Amino acid sequence: VPQDAEKIFENYKVIRNELKSFGEGLEKKKEIVTLSKIDLISEEKQQEIVDYFKKKKINILCMTVANNEGLDKIKSKMLGTR
């Protein structure tokens, strides 16, 4: 699991470029960006990553299925209730 905010952002950009390359306007669709497996990193590191993305004007939600942390926020976001 990469913990470096810049590396994670680079991975994000690769995915965005893949969506654009695919066509069909996928890169223009709404997105929900998540940082998963947060049970494997410190809260300080999580906040550093969230702040880094925020500076890029990208909201990121943190989650882990290990203890279901953050899943309610993601569900609400997907349903448009938050």
Side-chain angles (χ1 to χ4, degrees), residues 5 19 22 25 36 44 49 51-52 57 62 64 68-69 73 76-77:
L19 290 171
F22 186 79
S36 63
E44 293 80 21
I49 295 165
D51 291 344
Y52 187 88
K57 306 220 184 298
C62 298
T64 180
N68 295 328
E69 184 178 346
K73 286 182 182 178
S76 294
K77 185 79 168 173

Short mmCIF file of all heavy atoms in Angstrom, two decimals, residues 5 19 22 25 36 44 49 51-52 57 62 64 68-69 73 76-77:
data_model
loop_
_atom_site.label_atom_id
_atom_site.label_comp_id
_atom_site.label_asym_id
_atom_site.label_seq_id
_atom_site.Cartn_x
_atom_site.Cartn_y
_atom_site.Cartn_z
N ALA A 5 1.78 10.57 -0.48
CA ALA A 5 0.68 11.30 -1.11
C ALA A 5 0.95 11.57 -2.59
O ALA A 5 0.04 11.44 -3.42
CB ALA A 5 0.43 12.61 -0.36
N LEU A 19 -9.18 6.50 -18.22
CA LEU A 19 -10.59 6.79 -18.47
C LEU A 19 -10.75 7.69 -19.70
O LEU A 19 -11.63 7.47 -20.54
CB LEU A 19 -11.24 7.44 -17.26
CG LEU A 19 -11.44 6.55 -16.04
CD1 LEU A 19 -11.89 7.37 -14.84
CD2 LEU A 19 -12.44 5.45 -16.34
N PHE A 22 -10.09 5.77 -22.93
CA PHE A 22 -11.16 4.85 -23.27
C PHE A 22 -12.24 5.54 -24.09
O PHE A 22 -12.88 4.94 -24.94
CB PHE A 22 -11.76 4.25 -21.99
CG PHE A 22 -12.77 3.19 -22.26
CD1 PHE A 22 -12.38 1.90 -22.60
CD2 PHE A 22 -14.13 3.46 -22.19
CE1 PHE A 22 -13.31 0.92 -22.86
CE2 PHE A 22 -15.08 2.48 -22.44
CZ PHE A 22 -14.66 1.20 -22.77
N GLY A 25 -16.56 9.71 -22.93
CA GLY A 25 -16.77 10.78 -21.97
C GLY A 25 -16.66 10.36 -20.51
O GLY A 25 -17.13 11.06 -19.62
N SER A 36 -8.50 3.56 0.34
CA SER A 36 -8.90 2.34 1.03
C SER A 36 -7.75 1.77 1.85
O SER A 36 -6.62 2.24 1.78
CB SER A 36 -9.41 1.31 0.02
OG SER A 36 -8.39 0.94 -0.87
N GLU A 44 -2.40 10.17 10.93
CA GLU A 44 -1.63 11.32 10.44
C GLU A 44 -1.34 11.19 8.95
O GLU A 44 -1.45 12.16 8.19
CB GLU A 44 -0.32 11.45 11.22
CG GLU A 44 -0.49 11.82 12.68
CD GLU A 44 -0.86 10.64 13.58
OE1 GLU A 44 -0.62 9.47 13.19
OE2 GLU A 44 -1.40 10.88 14.66
N ILE A 49 -2.57 12.65 3.20
CA ILE A 49 -3.04 12.30 1.85
C ILE A 49 -4.30 13.08 1.50
O ILE A 49 -4.41 13.64 0.40
CB ILE A 49 -3.27 10.77 1.75
CG1 ILE A 49 -1.92 10.03 1.91
CG2 ILE A 49 -3.94 10.41 0.43
CD1 ILE A 49 -2.05 8.55 2.18
N ASP A 51 -5.27 15.95 2.70
CA ASP A 51 -4.87 17.35 2.50
C ASP A 51 -4.20 17.56 1.16
O ASP A 51 -4.44 18.57 0.49
CB ASP A 51 -3.95 17.81 3.63
CG ASP A 51 -4.65 17.92 4.97
OD1 ASP A 51 -5.91 17.93 5.01
OD2 ASP A 51 -3.95 17.98 6.00
N TYR A 52 -3.36 16.62 0.75
CA TYR A 52 -2.66 16.73 -0.54
C TYR A 52 -3.68 16.77 -1.68
O TYR A 52 -3.60 17.61 -2.57
CB TYR A 52 -1.70 15.55 -0.72
CG TYR A 52 -0.83 15.66 -1.94
CD1 TYR A 52 0.39 16.33 -1.88
CD2 TYR A 52 -1.21 15.10 -3.15
CE1 TYR A 52 1.20 16.43 -3.00
CE2 TYR A 52 -0.41 15.20 -4.27
CZ TYR A 52 0.79 15.87 -4.19
OH TYR A 52 1.58 15.98 -5.30
N LYS A 57 -7.86 20.17 -5.27
CA LYS A 57 -9.30 20.35 -5.43
C LYS A 57 -10.03 19.03 -5.69
O LYS A 57 -10.98 18.97 -6.47
CB LYS A 57 -9.62 21.38 -6.50
CG LYS A 57 -8.93 22.72 -6.29
CD LYS A 57 -9.83 23.86 -6.61
CE LYS A 57 -9.16 25.19 -6.49
NZ LYS A 57 -8.67 25.58 -5.23
N CYS A 62 -11.99 8.37 3.05
CA CYS A 62 -11.17 7.28 3.58
C CYS A 62 -12.06 6.13 4.02
O CYS A 62 -13.13 6.35 4.57
CB CYS A 62 -10.34 7.78 4.76
SG CYS A 62 -9.19 9.08 4.32
N THR A 64 -12.13 1.55 5.06
CA THR A 64 -11.55 0.22 5.18
C THR A 64 -12.69 -0.76 5.40
O THR A 64 -13.63 -0.47 6.14
CB THR A 64 -10.53 0.11 6.32
OG1 THR A 64 -10.03 -1.23 6.36
CG2 THR A 64 -11.11 0.46 7.67
N ASN A 68 -15.22 -1.72 8.54
CA ASN A 68 -16.32 -0.95 7.92
C ASN A 68 -16.21 0.55 8.11
O ASN A 68 -17.17 1.28 7.86
CB ASN A 68 -17.68 -1.44 8.40
CG ASN A 68 -17.96 -2.86 7.96
OD1 ASN A 68 -17.51 -3.29 6.89
ND2 ASN A 68 -18.66 -3.60 8.78
N GLU A 69 -15.07 1.04 8.53
CA GLU A 69 -14.89 2.49 8.73
C GLU A 69 -15.00 3.22 7.40
O GLU A 69 -14.38 2.84 6.41
CB GLU A 69 -13.53 2.77 9.36
CG GLU A 69 -13.30 4.22 9.69
CD GLU A 69 -11.96 4.47 10.36
OE1 GLU A 69 -11.31 3.51 10.81
OE2 GLU A 69 -11.58 5.65 10.43
N LYS A 73 -20.20 6.79 4.83
CA LYS A 73 -19.99 8.04 4.09
C LYS A 73 -20.00 7.80 2.59
O LYS A 73 -20.57 8.57 1.83
CB LYS A 73 -18.66 8.68 4.50
CG LYS A 73 -18.67 9.31 5.85
CD LYS A 73 -17.33 9.97 6.15
CE LYS A 73 -17.32 10.55 7.54
NZ LYS A 73 -16.02 11.14 7.87
N SER A 76 -23.57 7.04 1.45
CA SER A 76 -24.35 8.29 1.40
C SER A 76 -23.98 9.12 0.19
O SER A 76 -24.84 9.69 -0.47
CB SER A 76 -24.13 9.08 2.68
OG SER A 76 -24.65 8.41 3.79
N LYS A 77 -22.70 9.19 -0.10
CA LYS A 77 -22.24 9.97 -1.26
C LYS A 77 -22.79 9.37 -2.55
O LYS A 77 -23.23 10.09 -3.44
CB LYS A 77 -20.70 9.98 -1.26
CG LYS A 77 -20.09 10.82 -2.31
CD LYS A 77 -20.12 12.27 -1.91
CE LYS A 77 -19.24 13.07 -2.83
NZ LYS A 77 -19.36 14.48 -2.59
#
